[in-house]
Amino acid sequence: MSISEQYFPEEPTAPVVKTDTIPGPQGAQAIKTLGEVFDTRCTYFVADYYKSKGNYIVDVDGNTYLDLYCQVASIPLGYNNPALIETAKDPKTISNYVNRPALGNFAGNDFEEIQRELIKAAPKGQHLVWNALSGADANELAFKAVFYNYQAKKRGFNAPFSAEEESSCMENSAPGAPELAIMSFDHAFHGRLFATASVTRSKPIHKMDMPAFKWPKAQFPAYKYPLEANTEANSAEDDRCLAIVEEFFKTWHCPIAAVIVEPIQSEGGDNHASAKFFQGLRDITLKYEARLIIDEVQTGCGGTGLLWEHERYNITPPPDLVTFSKKMQSAGYFFHDPEFVPNFPYRQFNTWCGDPVRVILAGAITREIREKNILPQIKETGDYLFGKLESIQSKYPTWLQNLRGKGKACFIAWDTPSGDDRAKFLNAMKLNGVNMGGCAEVGVRLRPTLVFGKKHVDIFVERLDQVLSTL
């Protein structure tokens, strides 16, 4: 019996679409009335989460979709997972839910246990965690940790601030507000807050009209596919991009305190890189005494078949900070150097300092992944899926270009001929009962749950073939 069948014996057996349009009439009305109190301009359809189960999401028109997008890659173990429902009923969860502690000042007597469960899921080489509220928040807090650490090393870790530093920072000027930089990459996505928008480079809509830090943007490798037929060209691409990174360190007008990079650029197009590239980044940051931040917000928690995708590349020594959110249902960053704890209290601080309910949920999710040995199963499903997609690609090469993600479970993507073609394709898939998402200008990405099985693959591929035969 598959893990999906164990969790969801009453999961739907196939998609069912009852309306001629998505959304249907009830969905359109629901969007209209919701629009009176909420911005619904990005709403695809209004879901009925009470009826959604496992790998299927149901909308208010009664349409049942096989979901390969899963709340923008943030559902780990399926809709209404029974193990997570039991976690929600636990008295510890209820207490932290109704009494939401301001953790920095009034942590509860159960929070040590809660936090230690989360740390069990830490990436290799990391054993500490700082909690956040979202992926963008996690990255912003990681930047703060880097900057605090950079300046503390200069003045002495426990040295007091000078009077000049204290007065100048209140004027947003040096030396109290030093000019430092974070390097990111073209096509990167790290969030929509102020500092994270400055390192996000995927789409103008994410950052238009916002004041920005003048920080460097390096080139992320643009590989040729299939990888096995283009090893020499892709290795040269690694060399080219790493040379650009190092040149920025040599010439940028202010110190580059850290590099932030995704193991797979997701929102920016599902762009992959190699162990050579990531180790090269690590070597450069060590050479110039900068920090390496790995953004695992979308790749983390098993979506690629590993709990943490960057571990695939055996980066040595380990990254300085690893940020997380999405499938973890919590957020923050893991780290290993205690000097990343700010040298004085109230520096890395807010009212909540995370959310203990979400930390409890993250602990339960990662415990289920370990105890039910889920990752080998999603790897097997991914290999099966990729093989099926290669066959589909041979039939419809124009519609499945640059198929990528082989060997990385179901973290798979391909390119369509154009943005208009992609929109037409995604709408046709919805009308055939499959919910999918895009990335960058022409990409299609798959982000199913970790309990997506071969029977789901067969349904998806059948519907995919049907749609492509009509386009």
Side-chain angles (χ1 to χ4, degrees), residues 392-422:
I392 292 287
Q393 184 184 40
S394 68
K395 291 178 65 176
Y396 309 101
T398 301
W399 283 96
L400 274 82
Q401 301 175 23
N402 300 318
L403 179 64
R404 51 202 182 271
K406 188 174 185 177
K408 298 184 178 181
C410 297
F411 207 96
I412 295 170
W414 65 84
D415 295 331
T416 57
S418 70
D420 288 343
D421 286 320
R422 181 181 65 184

Side-chain angles (χ1 to χ4, degrees), residues 358-371:
R358 294 294 161 183
V359 179
I360 291 169
L361 194 57
I365 290 164
T366 53
R367 186 169 58 249
E368 287 291 302
I369 290 172
R370 286 193 305 270
E371 293 181 355

Side-chain angles (χ1 to χ4, degrees), residues 18 25 30 32 78 108 110 214 234 241 268 272 316 344 378 394 462:
K18 300 178 178 180
K32 180 180 179 180
D110 54 6
K214 305 303 186 287
N234 292 339
C241 293
H272 295 247
T316 307
F344 298 107
I378 194 63
S394 68
E462 178 186 9

Side-chain angles (χ1 to χ4, degrees), residues 6-28:
Q6 293 175 43
Y7 279 137
F8 307 108
E10 298 179 359
E11 183 185 59
T13 56
V16 176
V17 178
K18 300 178 178 180
T19 59
D20 295 329
T21 60
I22 307 296
Q26 293 185 59

Side-chain angles (χ1 to χ4, degrees), residues 331-348:
Y333 59 83
F334 292 107
F335 62 110
H336 59 270
D337 184 348
E339 288 196 351
F340 274 106
V341 177
N343 50 354
F344 298 107
Y346 286 101
R347 302 197 74 193
Q348 197 75 295

